[in-house]
Amino acid sequence: MRLAKVFYFSTCALGLFPILKLNHFSILMMIWFVLALINAFKNKTFPLLKTHKFTFLLLAFLCLMYVFYLPFAENLKELGKSITKSLPFLIFPLGFILNKDIVTKKLLQTFGLVYIISVFILNCLGWIKVFNFGWNDAWQQNDFYHPIFRNLFAEATSLHLPYLGLLTIFAALWLTFKMFFNRKINLLSVFTIIFLLFSTYIYSARMGLVCYLIGLLFIVFKSIKKQTVKWSLLVALPLFALAFFWFTPMKERYIKVVEKDLVLPNKDQEPHEVNYRYGIWYCATDLISDHFVLGVGADKVQEKLNNCYNGFTYKSYEDFSQVTYNTHNQYFDQMLKFGIIGLILFVLALFYFYPNSSVLYQTFIIVVSISFLTENLLDRQIGVVFISLLNTIFVLLKLNKVEKSISS
């Protein structure tokens, strides 16, 4: 009984991952996994792996795909990095399937509370940094070319801003979902949502704000039955968001990006004229067109990209020889690594459990799939943990509900 409680609390503690440093979370994850194995030995639940082998393969796919590629790898060191980074996709499904009875609605609620509090604290750390710097100074100096707020939040949280934005807006969406489906306005939740969204706005996590709006529209569409109210909100919310964007400094970050010419980085450009993303996507799509079926190989993507970047004549402190630029698109990354077949399997694994799932889980998948368009979320440990951990919990909760409904 004591082991079960320790394991339960360690599972809830996994929700602390946003505020834990990588090495600290790795220790927590391994402690949790050892407890999961001990609990499985005690309860003799190892046959569950055979029963749910297909579920395990799907949940662990984003790690297993690198393992399957091992016989074809030339650069084992590079592939080893990818396998190590993706281990949570193997560890969490294995531990949770062996102890799937622990995944209940109560666990999800407790885990969600820990996660939301962690994200709240994370953003508070950013605000402490801002006020130590001086709010007025930060506000006056901040612009597209000197993103003071972004730099301060990144320094305080040790997170790349798109990842901080992703963690933050999903916490806000989780609270939004709870209020809509409980049909009850909670003032503390409203305050937290506003705080999280305002923080995201201040450090200009553009894709995060877009994901929140799309997630909010999806929740509204799924939760409100009265057609007049539903469609009024579905029309009003995007218009409000557009108006907010148009009359606030947020507009500058979008306009500056749009105004940049679609010209490959070259020596005649100043730093503010360079369209880095166009250069990155040019190289990625060029490689994809030449290796559409099989890709360039899971161990060779960055090498091939760098070879293409070497053709750019632009030189500066942030040029392509000074900074390592990945594809900034998870779908491009999958195609470059494993070709069109790998991309199809990746998308199938991502959306397989989407049908007939909870609205919160469907919102999670929508947010992740949209974020994949502009970031390689699986290239950083925080992105791997966020997706593998939450995806596994949501899927196992769905599996338990299905089994419970069948047995009853």
Side-chain angles (χ1 to χ4, degrees):
M1 192 67 169
R2 185 176 298 175
L3 175 62
K5 286 185 177 180
V6 172
F7 179 56
Y8 181 85
F9 284 122
S10 69
T11 304
C12 295
L14 292 173
L16 293 168
F17 76 88
I19 57 173
L20 293 179
K21 292 184 178 179
L22 175 58
N23 56 338
H24 295 156
F25 182 78
S26 297
I27 293 171
L28 173 61
M29 182 174 66
M30 295 316 299
I31 291 173
W32 173 85
F33 187 59
V34 170
L35 290 171
L37 293 178
I38 294 173
N39 205 49
F41 273 114
K42 179 184 176 183
N43 297 321
K44 298 181 175 63
T45 56
F46 280 91
L48 288 173
L49 274 179
K50 183 177 180 181
T51 305
H52 300 289
K53 56 181 178 293
F54 184 67
T55 299
F56 172 74
L57 288 173
L58 283 173
L59 291 174
F61 175 75
L62 296 182
C63 177
L64 294 176
M65 61 183 181
Y66 293 113
V67 177
F68 295 151
Y69 186 77
L70 269 171
F72 310 100
E74 295 177 12
N75 190 337
L76 290 175
K77 182 179 178 181
E78 190 65 28
L79 187 64
K81 290 179 183 178
S82 297
I83 293 174
T84 302
K85 195 182 302 176
S86 63
L87 277 177
F89 281 106
L90 191 64
I91 291 172
F92 289 131
L94 184 57
F96 275 111
I97 288 175
L98 289 175
N99 300 274
K100 71 183 197 67
D101 287 344
I102 197 176
V103 186
T104 61
K105 185 178 180 180
K106 179 183 176 183
L107 174 80
L108 181 65
Q109 290 173 340
T110 307
F111 175 89
L113 179 62
V114 174
Y115 168 76
I116 291 167
I117 291 174
S118 298
V119 172
F120 183 87
I121 293 172
L122 198 63
N123 281 275
C124 285
L125 294 176
W127 281 108
I128 291 171
K129 193 79 173 178
V130 168
F131 287 117
N132 284 339
F133 180 88
W135 166 262
N136 289 334
D137 291 339
W139 182 261
Q140 291 172 7
Q141 296 177 34
N142 186 73
D143 59 33
F144 182 79
Y145 303 112
H146 303 91
I148 304 298
F149 288 117
R150 289 174 67 85
N151 294 339
L152 291 172
F153 270 86
E155 186 179 342
T157 62
S158 301
L159 288 178
H160 188 39
L161 265 299
Y163 293 80
L164 177 60
L166 175 63
L167 296 175
T168 302
I169 64 97
F170 188 68
L173 282 170
W174 201 324
L175 289 171
T176 304
F177 163 80
K178 287 175 67 177
M179 284 199 299
F180 268 95
F181 279 83
N182 291 336
R183 311 285 183 184
K184 185 179 180 181
I185 296 178
N186 183 302
L187 292 180
L188 180 59
S189 294
V190 171
F191 165 78
T192 305
I193 292 169
I194 293 173
F195 171 76
L196 295 177
L197 291 179
F198 183 67
S199 299
T200 310
Y201 160 74
I202 282 295
Y203 52 77
S204 299
R206 293 163 292 177
M207 183 53 75
L209 292 172
V210 169
C211 286
Y212 180 81
L213 176 61
I214 293 173
L216 175 61
L217 293 174
F218 180 73
I219 291 170
V220 167
F221 183 79
K222 287 288 189 175
S223 63
I224 297 179
K225 303 300 180 185
K226 194 172 181 179
Q227 295 299 312
T228 305
V229 176
K230 176 191 291 188
W231 289 105
S232 296
L233 283 172
L234 289 176
V235 172
L237 287 172
L239 291 176
F240 174 78
L242 181 62
F244 177 80
F245 153 79
W246 193 258
F247 294 105
T248 64
M250 172 63 73
K251 174 184 175 182
E252 182 186 22
R253 290 201 64 82
Y254 289 90
I255 296 300
K256 291 292 185 184
V257 172
V258 173
E259 285 180 344
K260 287 187 177 181
D261 295 331
L262 296 181
V263 176
L264 294 178
N266 60 77
K267 62 183 179 181
D268 297 324
Q269 292 178 305
E270 295 297 323
H272 67 274
E273 298 175 320
V274 179
N275 194 326
Y276 287 93
R277 198 159 296 237
Y278 176 67
I280 291 166
W281 286 354
Y282 168 85
C283 284
T285 52
D286 187 56
L287 286 169
I288 287 171
S289 65
D290 291 338
H291 305 85
F292 185 78
V293 178
L294 297 177
V296 301
D299 56 332
K300 304 184 190 73
V301 172
Q302 197 59 54
E303 175 191 344
K304 296 293 185 182
L305 286 172
N306 290 341
N307 290 340
C308 179
Y309 297 155
N310 288 337
F312 301 152
T313 57
Y314 171 73
K315 298 297 178 185
S316 181
Y317 68 96
E318 262 189 345
D319 66 33
F320 291 84
S321 63
Q322 303 294 323
V323 180
T324 300
Y325 291 98
N326 59 35
T327 59
H328 281 70
N329 183 303
Q330 196 66 57
Y331 304 109
F332 286 173
D333 187 65
Q334 291 303 124
M335 280 202 74
L336 283 175
K337 287 176 177 175
F338 304 105
I340 185 61
I341 297 175
L343 175 63
I344 292 171
L345 291 175
F346 172 78
V347 173
L348 286 175
L350 179 64
F351 284 95
Y352 184 83
F353 297 102
Y354 179 93
N356 304 315
S357 294
S358 69
V359 172
L360 182 58
Y361 176 57
Q362 291 179 336
T363 304
F364 168 76
I365 293 298
I366 289 171
V367 166
V368 168
S369 61
I370 293 173
S371 299
F372 278 164
L373 292 170
T374 57
E375 288 295 330
N376 286 26
L377 295 180
L378 304 181
D379 266 17
R380 297 191 187 224
Q381 199 69 37
I382 187 68
V384 170
V385 171
F386 172 74
I387 295 170
S388 62
L389 179 54
L390 271 74
N391 191 53
T392 302
I393 292 175
F394 282 128
V395 168
L396 266 292
L397 183 62
K398 175 184 177 179
L399 183 65
N400 286 340
K401 284 183 177 179
V402 170
E403 290 181 353
K404 186 177 179 180
S405 63
I406 292 174
S407 62
S408 60

